[in-house]
Amino acid sequence: MFRLMNHTMAATPSQTFNHRHLLGIEDLTRDDVYHILERAGYYIEKNREPDKKHAILKGRTIINLFFENSTRTRTSFELAGKRLGADVINMSVANSSAKKGETLIDTAMTLNAMHPDCIAVRHPESGAVHLLARKVNCSVINGGDGMHEHPTQALLDALTILQHKGKIEGLTVAICGDILHSRVARSNIKLLNLLGAKVRIIAPPTLMPAAVHSFNVEPFYDMRKGLKDCDIIMMLRLQMERMEGNFIPSVREYFHFWGLDEEKLSYAKPDALIMHPGPINRGVEIDSKLADDLNRSVILQQVEMGVAVRQAALELLLHSQ
Ligand code: NCD
């Protein structure tokens, strides 16, 4: 049974973290993951107190460099950095020189010359964040690169599951919907496998990746069969912005076959948790009432865990520099 650290236990992390960047779950060991999650446990408690501020990263500079829209991830990195005492600068592509034709590498080198300690990057191209990490002297955190990885999302999802179930090993987790375009699915598949969960993916054939057989998951093409007796249901948004061509006949038909409603949910275990990385599209991938059902849905707790996980990641990366 995993135990989250009580906040009175440790104001500083116990061991060093041997990574300069957090680019993907693929680079982490089980110990690394539990190290981050334990540290995040400390911040969950601190974030519920009136005074949430630390001086751990005082004097450090963090840049949020977002080439794609974001509400929760960007705000979460910003809050995480500020609560640790760092100076945080937000850059979005709408008002950056990328709009004037500057390449990703030139943007990276320019920011690097200002001596940041960490850059959190979101980019529409898979692999772009790795490329950027090779060009700068500071730590880089992947805030989502194309359809590839979104490691802090998978970590916050694991933390949310641990809060409710006390373990991940042996749980059956169903990830449902637009798997093909989802970096959240890819990072979660890696992390859940690393921690010993049984992972199912449920998708229409058009949204199932061709390489599914190399993912170490059980694929399903039917929601009722895939949800049967599962402990955790992770719903995904249709990533329309990544689709070229028609992947679904209509939104209405998609909801009928693939949207989570009471009837399909009844196939899962009675205490199954409903998760979603957000932003949710009500009535498309999830019934509005279910999304708001606080007995089943942990969507807002995922947001809360996100800040704690990002504080832990920032602290561990910057402390080991
Ligand atoms: C996800 C993302 O951007 O990959 N959202 C998030 O980070 N909370 C999923 C999505 O946009 O559907």
Side-chain angles (χ1 to χ4, degrees):
M1 168 81 83
F2 174 83
R3 274 184 217 295
L4 291 173
M5 229 187 247
N6 182 289
H7 75 280
T8 53
M9 281 174 68
T12 50
S14 50
Q15 327 134 318
T16 50
F17 186 71
N18 287 324
H19 294 272
R20 183 157 156 235
H21 306 303
L22 177 55
L23 300 180
I25 299 297
E26 62 201 351
D27 304 322
L28 302 180
T29 64
R30 229 180 123 92
D31 283 351
D32 290 333
V33 169
Y34 279 117
H35 193 173
I36 299 172
L37 297 181
E38 265 175 24
R39 205 52 206 147
Y42 165 75
Y43 287 113
I44 296 172
E45 299 294 328
K46 279 298 287 180
N47 287 340
R48 290 174 182 168
E49 289 176 9
D51 182 2
K52 301 163 184 63
K53 198 94 173 172
H54 298 255
I56 290 170
L57 297 186
K58 190 165 180 289
R60 304 294 193 106
T61 305
I62 298 165
I63 300 179
N64 277 333
L65 179 60
F66 276 58
F67 293 89
E68 265 186 11
N69 294 338
S70 171
T71 305
R72 66 218 81 221
T73 307
R74 214 210 58 188
T75 319
S76 186
F77 271 115
E78 181 177 354
L79 268 182
K82 285 183 171 164
R83 285 185 185 170
L84 296 180
D87 295 318
V88 184
I89 287 150
N90 289 311
M91 285 190 55
S92 67
V93 76
N95 38 33
S96 80
S97 295
K99 279 273 179 241
K100 298 181 185 169
E102 186 173 70
T103 66
L104 174 66
I105 302 298
D106 286 329
T107 305
M109 307 275 275
T110 303
L111 295 177
N112 191 51
M114 299 181 201
H115 300 290
D117 298 281
C118 181
I119 309 182
V121 194
R122 169 168 287 190
H123 198 280
E125 302 295 331
S126 307
V129 182
H130 288 66
L131 182 66
L132 189 141
R134 289 208 295 272
K135 301 288 173 189
V136 296
N137 306 112
C138 64
S139 290
V140 174
I141 302 183
N142 185 357
D145 66 321
M147 306 188 291
H148 179 223
E149 280 239 34
H150 190 353
T152 55
Q153 179 70 43
L155 288 162
L156 74 88
D157 288 339
L159 190 60
T160 309
I161 298 173
L162 285 169
Q163 289 265 293
H164 284 269
K165 303 283 182 193
K167 62 168 191 174
I168 289 188
E169 195 163 359
L171 294 181
T172 302
V173 183
I175 309 178
C176 319
D178 185 358
I179 310 286
L180 181 64
H181 300 103
S182 178
R183 54 198 176 205
V184 174
R186 283 178 182 74
S187 286
N188 261 304
I189 289 167
K190 287 175 195 149
L191 185 54
L192 291 164
N193 272 318
L194 187 66
L195 301 186
K198 290 189 262 279
V199 186
R200 299 178 182 175
I201 54 179
I202 315 175
T206 49
L207 295 173
M208 187 68 91
V212 60
H213 299 290
S214 63
F215 283 9
N216 197 18
V217 296
E218 212 184 333
F220 288 87
Y221 297 91
D222 179 291
M223 279 289 272
R224 292 168 188 82
K225 286 185 187 148
L227 291 179
K228 185 140 184 22
D229 296 329
C230 71
D231 299 283
I232 309 287
I233 306 166
M234 288 187 180
M235 298 307 299
L236 298 172
R237 183 177 65 88
L238 282 172
Q239 307 261 306
M240 300 288 197
E241 70 276 23
R242 297 187 213 289
M243 293 183 190
E244 282 168 19
N246 289 332
F247 286 79
I248 55 160
S250 70
V251 164
R252 223 175 120 178
E253 188 167 327
Y254 182 81
F255 182 71
H256 177 73
F257 286 105
W258 309 100
L260 187 67
D261 55 19
E262 285 285 359
E263 190 271 327
K264 295 186 197 89
L265 177 65
S266 69
Y267 285 79
K269 285 198 182 147
D271 61 349
L273 298 181
I274 302 171
M275 302 178 72
H276 192 307
I280 58 172
N281 282 314
R282 293 172 183 268
V284 180
E285 68 270 0
I286 187 161
D287 178 81
S288 196
K289 276 214 292 297
L290 279 186
D292 295 332
D293 181 349
L294 296 179
N295 294 320
R296 308 302 300 266
S297 157
V298 293
I299 297 171
L300 294 177
Q301 286 166 44
Q302 289 172 265
V303 178
E304 183 187 3
M305 296 306 118
V307 180
V309 152
R310 291 175 179 116
Q311 281 175 288
L314 284 168
E315 180 191 16
L316 293 173
L317 289 173
L318 298 191
H319 260 231
S320 57
Q321 266 181 20

